[in-house]
Amino acid sequence: MMRETRSFYRGNLPHYLPNDRPYFLTFRLAGSEPKDEDRLGLLLLKRQFLEYDRILDTMKSGPHWLREERVAAIVREAIHHRDKSEYDLHAYTIMSNHVHMVVTLTGELPLDRVLQHMKSFTAVACNKVLRRQGDFWLHEGYDHVVRKGRFGNVIWYVLNNPVKAGQCRHWREHPNSYLSPDLLGFE
């Protein structure tokens, strides 16, 4: 069993990262933030993650590169590649402009480094497929330690994101959603 280590770093938001707890992660495409006319509303809503996530789900502007199957496949493969070596992968959903994941670290790298490596690799590969250059992911994502007793709620939230966004009727119909076989009795 890995010993508990903790790290803290600060970007635009503070990040407290104990290695022994599951994390709920959201990272999104560069350019997927709302346009200037929407920024005031975003500033008022930023503390309310659920509302902010709803905005991401319904945005018509900005890039939606993750809709492209070859791009989504690169991200899926990178997420699965790290399973059992850097983290235990519990669930994820890849939406058109953002990704939700639930993981528990298992390796020696802290969460910010794991995400940095994955986002760097996928950015290069996805940009190559899209024949573009420049930032692919927004630099800072959202990470949240899953509180005790809330794991099931967070998993349910991640899996039902495409249902809530009107993309399918059941999360299993969404091609870019995943639930660990260890949790199949969960639903």
Side-chain angles (χ1 to χ4, degrees):
M1 174 169 268
M2 183 174 64
R3 67 177 164 26
E4 179 187 357
T5 58
R6 298 174 190 260
S7 70
F8 178 85
Y9 74 95
R10 188 170 196 73
N12 291 327
L13 301 169
H15 301 267
Y16 169 69
L17 307 171
N19 283 357
D20 63 338
R21 301 297 311 275
Y23 292 101
F24 170 49
L25 311 170
T26 299
F27 47 99
R28 63 183 204 255
L29 296 176
S32 66
E33 61 273 2
K35 302 289 182 208
D36 288 339
E37 60 270 13
D38 299 324
R39 287 196 190 279
L40 178 58
L42 176 60
L43 290 173
L44 296 173
L45 298 172
K46 195 155 187 171
R47 293 181 188 243
Q48 299 174 0
F49 176 78
L50 295 175
E51 182 63 20
Y52 184 68
D53 194 46
R54 185 193 63 74
I55 292 170
L56 281 177
D57 289 341
T58 59
M59 283 182 60
K60 304 290 186 235
S61 63
H64 291 271
W65 300 314
L66 298 172
R67 279 187 187 145
E68 294 197 30
E69 176 51 32
R70 292 187 308 160
V71 174
I74 291 167
V75 176
R76 274 194 318 266
E77 184 176 311
I79 290 170
H80 282 284
H81 177 75
R82 288 157 176 78
D83 188 22
K84 305 299 182 221
S85 62
E86 296 177 1
Y87 51 68
D88 283 333
L89 177 60
H90 306 299
Y92 68 79
T93 293
I94 301 171
M95 300 294 285
S96 67
N97 61 359
H98 66 285
V99 176
H100 292 302
M101 293 174 55
V102 182
V103 301
T104 301
L105 294 178
T106 58
E108 295 298 317
L109 288 178
L111 181 64
D112 57 322
R113 295 298 303 250
V114 170
L115 290 176
Q116 178 186 23
H117 291 167
M118 181 171 46
K119 287 167 68 176
S120 177
F121 171 81
T122 56
V124 170
C126 291
N127 275 342
K128 187 174 182 179
V129 165
L130 294 166
R131 296 184 177 149
R132 66 175 299 277
Q133 294 180 340
D135 291 338
F136 185 79
W137 298 110
L138 196 62
H139 173 70
E140 189 171 12
Y142 174 82
D143 51 63
H144 179 79
V145 176
V146 177
R147 288 183 264 145
K148 291 183 184 198
R150 302 295 296 166
F151 184 78
N153 295 46
V154 172
I155 295 290
W156 190 246
Y157 177 84
V158 167
L159 294 176
N160 277 288
N161 196 232
V163 175
K164 179 182 60 147
Q167 296 178 0
C168 55
R169 289 178 295 165
H170 189 276
W171 72 267
R172 288 187 185 275
E173 297 170 2
H174 191 265
N176 294 313
S177 290
Y178 168 82
L179 178 64
S180 169
D182 298 341
L183 299 176
L184 286 179
F186 159 78
E187 27 171 9

